[in-house]
Amino acid sequence: MRKIKYKKGRKLQHITLEYTGTHKEHETEMQLFVYDDADVVEYDKFTVLALNSCFDYTKNNWLNVHGLNDIGLLKTIGAHFKLDDFLLADILNTTKRTKLEEQQNVLFFNIKSLLPSEYSDNISVEQISFILKEGILISFQEKRSDFFTHIRERLRTHAGIVRTKKVDYLLYLLLDAVMENFYITLEDEEDKVEELINQTKKDAKPIILEKIENHRDNLNFLKRSIVPLRDSLYYLKTKKDDDDENGLIQKETFNFFIRLHQKSLELLEQIESDMSALESASNFYFSEQSRKMNEIMKTLTIISAIFIPLTFIVGVYGMNFENMPELKMQNGYFVVMGVMFLLVIALIIYFKKRRWF
């Protein structure tokens, strides 16, 4: 199983309308919120037949689409809101990186939502796209999830200021909710990295190095997902002092997007710190392996040093010269064995004093 599911995504032409993600079993459903400061109306089982009757363009409208398998439904939505086919293709093609694109009276934003897998070291990926128009926000999710549950509750209960703001503020809240998943994923990675570092210090097994490389891949993927998000948010940040031609984002809302940009910078800094920790763990692993090898070589060297003089003595008396006076001694064998024994003891004491073992 590959670390990142979406690497298997098939590359498509820019205007090819085909869903390339992995959540093909999820049925396409829609939910609509029509709200303002005074009231909110929720349509849970919304259909394309109600596009004309349920939208109230004097209020704020949030259409949330779960599931991207019904291409015909997405085409209908695109035709109704006069969306370019290129935008629909970017919504369906999950191999695309995070991007921000402005067209006439339309702001398009897509982002990768990352969460740790429950029973593995993999990262679950879902692409979420947003279409912002005057008074309308359309979000596209690959499957039904609970990323935005708390935001729906705030709309229903009039908590906070969301119902007093335009849909650009709602876009900020949704992006902020997705970015919280980055923090959850990064925190999970940090816990696993810390556990790996502790395991490396206890017992540097080869499987630990493999896990280190897996988590390095995860952190690199996190970084590749956040960098384009940072760039997109920086673009919005630079527009704060410009005249916004479309007027889709209110001047006072730009400050909230600046907060998101700051969050992306914090995430990248933390990822760099975690990458350094992994690099230290990797270096410690190799250092520990080198230390173990040195210990083995030192032990073998000491054993060799002890047996070299013994081998020399054995070699001398193995030459079988006729005139070797020690050969005629009655206790010659015991004397030589005693000398060899004392020599071993002396070498051991010498090595011990030199702290060679």
Side-chain angles (χ1 to χ4, degrees):
M1 182 176 181
R2 301 210 33 167
K3 289 297 294 176
I4 305 302
K5 299 176 184 177
Y6 285 18
K7 288 183 179 179
K8 297 181 179 179
R10 185 161 58 87
K11 302 295 183 181
L12 300 175
Q13 296 297 322
H14 294 303
I15 58 174
T16 302
L17 298 184
E18 180 182 340
Y19 175 52
T20 63
T22 59
H23 304 287
K24 298 182 183 296
E25 73 283 0
H26 292 274
E27 182 181 353
T28 303
E29 300 176 347
M30 294 190 295
Q31 181 184 42
L32 175 66
F33 281 87
V34 180
Y35 67 93
D36 59 10
D37 190 21
D39 191 24
V40 59
V41 179
E42 179 180 353
Y43 301 91
D44 193 32
K45 297 296 183 180
F46 187 75
T47 65
V48 292
L49 298 176
L51 282 173
N52 291 318
S53 59
C54 294
F55 273 79
D56 186 346
Y57 296 100
T58 65
K59 299 181 179 181
N60 298 314
N61 302 267
W62 173 30
L63 176 62
N64 192 22
V65 180
H66 301 280
L68 303 178
N69 296 303
D70 193 337
I71 307 300
L73 184 146
L74 265 65
K75 286 182 177 180
T76 302
I77 294 175
H80 181 83
F81 293 105
K82 298 182 174 63
L83 301 179
D84 197 304
D85 283 347
F86 286 101
L87 295 183
L88 295 179
D90 285 341
I91 292 171
L92 292 168
N93 190 352
T94 57
T95 62
K96 295 284 188 178
R97 60 181 284 176
T98 296
K99 66 181 291 189
L100 171 68
E101 184 175 338
E102 278 190 293
Q103 296 184 2
Q104 187 175 6
N105 300 321
V106 174
L107 180 69
F108 172 74
F109 206 127
N110 78 345
I111 185 174
K112 296 290 191 293
S113 176
L114 310 181
L115 281 173
S117 296
E118 188 173 357
Y119 300 109
S120 71
D121 290 337
N122 294 348
I123 293 179
S124 298
V125 188
E126 179 186 349
Q127 178 170 284
I128 303 177
S129 303
F130 302 97
I131 298 288
L132 180 65
K133 292 173 65 72
E134 182 63 34
I136 300 171
L137 177 64
I138 310 174
S139 55
F140 298 87
Q141 298 180 248
E142 293 188 69
K143 59 185 179 66
R144 181 176 287 274
S145 57
D146 57 357
F147 300 157
F148 307 141
T149 300
H150 64 290
I151 298 176
R152 296 187 185 95
E153 285 302 314
R154 290 173 67 174
L155 286 171
R156 294 177 184 126
T157 60
H158 206 327
I161 61 174
V162 58
R163 278 174 47 184
T164 65
K165 296 286 187 179
K166 300 290 186 180
V167 287
D168 56 340
Y169 180 77
L170 178 61
L171 174 61
Y172 153 73
L173 289 179
L174 299 180
L175 289 174
D176 186 57
V178 175
M179 288 189 69
E180 285 300 316
N181 293 341
F182 284 102
Y183 282 100
I184 294 172
T185 305
L186 187 56
E187 183 178 354
D188 181 76
E189 285 294 313
E190 288 175 346
D191 292 340
K192 293 176 180 178
V193 167
E194 183 178 357
E195 182 181 350
L196 271 179
I197 293 174
N198 293 333
Q199 289 179 4
T200 305
K201 293 178 180 179
K202 292 178 181 178
D203 188 9
K205 296 180 180 179
I207 187 65
I208 293 179
L209 184 62
E210 181 180 345
K211 290 183 177 181
I212 288 175
E213 292 303 316
N214 288 341
H215 288 294
R216 183 179 282 114
D217 289 342
N218 284 348
L219 290 175
N220 277 323
F221 182 75
L222 272 168
K223 184 176 180 180
R224 292 196 303 272
S225 300
I226 295 173
V227 166
L229 173 62
R230 177 204 62 187
D231 296 339
S232 299
L233 292 171
Y234 180 76
Y235 172 77
L236 288 178
K237 178 182 177 181
T238 58
K239 286 179 65 64
K240 179 183 178 182
D241 298 325
D242 298 336
D243 293 330
D244 187 10
E245 297 178 357
N246 297 328
L248 295 175
I249 299 181
Q250 306 296 310
K251 288 291 185 180
E252 61 270 17
T253 311
F254 276 110
N255 291 327
F256 296 105
F257 287 98
I258 291 174
R259 293 181 188 176
L260 294 182
H261 178 257
Q262 185 62 36
K263 281 187 175 183
S264 67
L265 295 178
E266 293 173 357
L267 284 166
L268 289 173
E269 289 177 0
Q270 190 59 45
I271 288 174
E272 291 297 331
S273 175
D274 294 337
M275 293 283 284
S276 298
L278 273 180
E279 187 67 26
S280 298
S282 180
N283 292 336
F284 183 86
Y285 171 84
F286 287 113
S287 298
E288 185 66 14
Q289 294 299 311
S290 298
R291 186 192 67 80
K292 288 182 177 180
M293 181 60 67
N294 289 336
E295 288 291 329
I296 293 172
M297 294 303 298
K298 183 174 72 174
T299 302
L300 294 176
T301 302
I302 291 174
I303 293 174
S304 300
I306 290 174
F307 278 92
I308 284 175
L310 302 183
T311 304
F312 172 76
I313 294 174
V314 172
V316 168
Y317 289 100
M319 291 187 293
N320 295 322
F321 286 110
E322 185 175 352
N323 296 318
M324 293 182 68
E326 293 87 354
L327 296 177
K328 305 296 183 180
M329 293 176 59
Q330 182 177 359
N331 297 318
Y333 169 78
F334 299 103
V335 171
V336 172
M337 291 297 294
V339 170
M340 293 171 67
F341 177 76
L342 293 175
L343 184 59
V344 170
I345 298 299
L347 287 172
I348 291 175
I349 293 174
Y350 175 76
F351 294 152
K352 196 73 172 179
K353 286 185 176 180
R354 296 297 299 268
R355 296 183 179 180
W356 287 1
F357 65 90

